[in-house]
């Protein structure tokens, strides 16, 4: 009995220690200042990435910015993000002093649209094509961070199609995990309605890139679309990537069952060294999240491909964005895109190839 008691006591101490470490991480992150997108004059050597935004964030009454609170319906606007000529792959160069387009990500132009059709007209101007990359950010993201992340992804992957950010009302605070989970449920109708608008014309397609808790939001929206019987909309989704998904694996299985035939390709990017999802697992009851599952074959669906990026982790951002922040991972993905066939989506057409540094499995 004494041995069992000692074992239990040691296990309990380990658990308490882990919780204390996780709490310390949250508090440290909460105390860190958040950066904000800033305007600056354009630099002739910089690259301009137009980022279109649909957001359910309420307009902050203290200034002309979109804040953290929820609103009914969506705001629509465009922000031209300037990427500096000194940009390094996988990084977002935030200003360390006055913003300078020669060295920093900056905003050079913005335009607010009073109707969604005006955003769509601007987005499709100049023969931009009929396929749109829709990025759904994750937990603890501000609007500025999500805009810059999409601009960085478009730049590093040389994506020509228009990029639209769906910015749901995350609290932008590491202490707001439960608030953000509720915001996901609040925003799923808006995301479903946005996808309906983006695919209204024959030939229109969308490719969904969802990160972290944004993957939960994406699955909820797809489930809702499927339950409404709108298979036409689902057929116009040219692919889905769930990157570091913050979803309970059991919940994902039920969501996928409700959706039925999933859009193809349907990819899950996991990183077992993802410290942010490890913390999420503690918060939600110590069950591993989908983005840190132990084996790529744990997702038992023939229409889902799981790719493990653990070997390419570099420690950046708690290993929570490895596929788009690790230069090695970006190089691997760009190589796959370059070798892919011409059929299917323009972005990440065929991710079922297995390379030595990346494990992929299809059941």
């Amino acid at each position: 009995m004494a041995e069992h008691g000692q074992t239990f006591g040691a296990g309990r101490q380990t658990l308490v220690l882990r919780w204390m470490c996780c709490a310390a991480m949250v508090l440290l992150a909460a105390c860190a200042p958040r950066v904000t997108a800033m305007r600056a004059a354009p630099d002739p050597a910089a690259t301009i990435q137009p980022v279109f935004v649909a957001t359910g964030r309420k307009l902050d009454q203290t200034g002309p910015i979109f804040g953290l609170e929820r609103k009914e319906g969506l705001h629509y606007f465009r922000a031209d993000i300037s990427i500096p000529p000194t940009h390094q792959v996988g990084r977002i160069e935030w200003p360390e002093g006055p913003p300078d387009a020669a060295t920093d990500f900056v905003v050079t132009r913005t335009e607010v649209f009073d109707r969604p059709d005006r955003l769509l007209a601007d987005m499709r101007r100049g023969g931009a094509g009929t396929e749109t990359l829709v990025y759904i950010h994750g937990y603890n993201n501000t609007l500025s961070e999500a805009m810059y992340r999409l601009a960085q992804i478009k730049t590093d992957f040389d994506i020509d199609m228009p990029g639209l950010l769906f910015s749901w009302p995350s609290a932008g605070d590491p202490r707001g995990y439960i608030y953000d989970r509720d915001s996901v449920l609040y925003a799923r109708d808006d995301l479903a309605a946005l996808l309906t608008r983006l695919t209204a014309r024959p030939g229109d397609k969308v490719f969904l890139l969802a990160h972290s808790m944004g993957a939960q939001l994406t699955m909820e929206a797809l489930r809702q679309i499927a339950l409404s019987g709108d298979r036409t909309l689902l057929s116009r989704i040219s692919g889905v990537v769930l990157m570091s998904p913050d979803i309970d694996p059991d919940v994902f299985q039920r969501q996928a069952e409700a959706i039925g035939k999933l859009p193809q390709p349907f990819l899950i990017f996991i990183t077992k060294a993802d410290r942010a999802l490890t913390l999420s697992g503690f918060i939600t009851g110590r069950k591993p999240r989908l983005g840190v599952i132990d084996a790529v074959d744990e997702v038992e669906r023939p229409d889902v491909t799981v790719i493990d990026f653990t070997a390419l982790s570099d420690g950046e951002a708690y290993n929570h964005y490895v596929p788009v922040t690790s230069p090695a991972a970006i190089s691997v993905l760009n190589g796959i895109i370059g070798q892919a066939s011409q059929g299917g989506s323009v972005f990440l057409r065929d991710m079922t190839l297995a390379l030595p540094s990346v494990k992929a499995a299809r059941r």
Side-chain angles (χ1 to χ4, degrees):
M1 291 293 291
E3 290 181 359
H4 287 295
Q6 290 173 357
T7 301
F8 176 77
R12 185 174 182 180
Q13 288 176 355
T14 300
L15 181 59
V16 170
L17 181 60
R18 287 179 177 177
W19 270 104
M20 290 175 64
C21 290
C22 291
M25 287 174 59
V26 170
L27 290 174
L28 286 172
C31 293
R34 301 302 282 263
V35 285
T36 302
M38 301 179 70
R39 282 182 174 270
D43 183 281
T47 301
I48 301 298
Q49 285 288 1
V51 170
F52 297 90
V53 180
T55 181
R57 298 174 186 266
K58 183 179 290 186
L59 187 66
D60 192 330
Q61 297 303 311
T62 63
I65 61 173
F66 294 98
L68 309 177
E69 296 184 5
R70 305 167 183 142
K71 74 172 291 290
E72 186 174 349
L74 296 173
H75 286 297
Y76 304 92
F77 70 97
R78 165 182 173 158
D80 286 355
I81 311 299
S82 175
I83 314 298
T86 56
H87 171 64
Q88 297 180 28
V89 170
R91 293 196 60 190
I92 295 175
E93 285 85 3
W94 291 95
E96 296 182 358
D100 184 348
T103 56
D104 309 319
F105 275 56
V106 297
V107 177
T108 59
R109 172 179 174 265
T110 58
E111 181 177 359
V112 177
F113 303 100
D114 57 356
R115 299 200 311 264
D117 58 309
R118 292 183 174 173
L119 175 140
L120 293 177
D122 190 29
M123 191 170 67
R124 291 165 174 163
R125 185 177 300 161
T130 58
E131 186 173 19
T132 304
L133 170 64
V134 179
Y135 175 57
I136 304 99
H137 65 74
Y139 147 73
N140 185 29
N141 263 224
T142 65
L143 179 60
S144 294
E145 291 164 347
M147 286 195 309
Y148 278 12
R149 180 63 65 193
L150 176 54
Q152 175 255 317
I153 291 170
K154 286 197 65 187
T155 299
D156 290 346
F157 288 95
D158 195 23
I159 300 170
D160 291 330
M161 75 173 78
L164 188 148
L165 166 66
F166 180 79
S167 185
W168 52 279
S170 164
D173 186 325
R175 297 165 297 187
Y177 188 84
I178 303 302
Y179 179 89
D180 278 12
R181 290 187 71 177
D182 289 342
S183 289
V184 161
L185 300 179
Y186 183 86
R188 59 187 173 185
D189 288 348
D190 288 333
L191 178 56
L194 176 67
L195 297 180
T196 299
R197 288 186 180 278
L198 291 173
T199 59
R201 304 177 308 178
D204 286 344
K205 292 185 178 295
V206 291
F207 193 101
L208 307 181
L209 174 60
H211 177 247
S212 188
M213 199 178 285
Q216 175 82 287
L217 171 55
T218 299
M219 290 300 293
E220 282 294 303
L222 295 180
R223 177 182 181 275
Q224 193 155 301
I225 292 166
L227 293 178
S228 74
D230 193 350
R231 303 305 304 186
T232 299
L233 194 165
L234 291 174
S235 71
R236 293 177 178 175
I237 297 174
S238 55
V240 178
V241 171
L242 305 184
M243 179 172 63
S244 303
D246 188 358
I247 309 177
D248 183 301
D250 296 335
V251 172
F252 171 78
Q253 294 285 9
R254 294 300 298 272
Q255 290 169 326
E257 289 171 7
I259 296 168
K261 182 180 179 182
L262 296 174
Q264 292 300 302
F266 195 102
L267 314 166
I268 299 176
F269 292 174
I270 69 171
T271 306
K272 297 172 189 174
D274 188 327
R275 297 196 297 277
L277 287 186
T278 299
L279 174 58
S280 175
F282 278 114
I283 294 173
T284 57
R286 302 193 304 279
K287 184 177 179 63
R289 311 304 281 170
L290 183 62
V292 291
I293 54 177
D294 288 332
V296 293
D297 58 356
E298 285 188 32
V299 179
E300 298 181 352
R301 287 188 63 100
D303 52 358
V304 175
T305 299
V306 180
I307 301 181
D308 185 358
F309 283 85
T310 304
L312 303 180
S313 303
D314 60 2
E316 181 73 18
Y318 301 107
N319 289 324
H320 196 40
Y321 289 87
V322 170
V324 298
T325 59
S326 163
I330 292 171
S331 177
V332 167
L333 290 177
N334 274 326
I336 293 175
I337 295 169
Q339 297 173 23
S341 64
Q342 295 302 309
S345 171
V346 176
F347 178 57
L348 299 180
R349 293 188 184 92
D350 186 358
M351 295 298 301
T352 62
L353 301 177
L355 298 182
S357 55
V358 179
K359 296 179 181 178
R362 178 184 289 273
R363 291 182 62 87

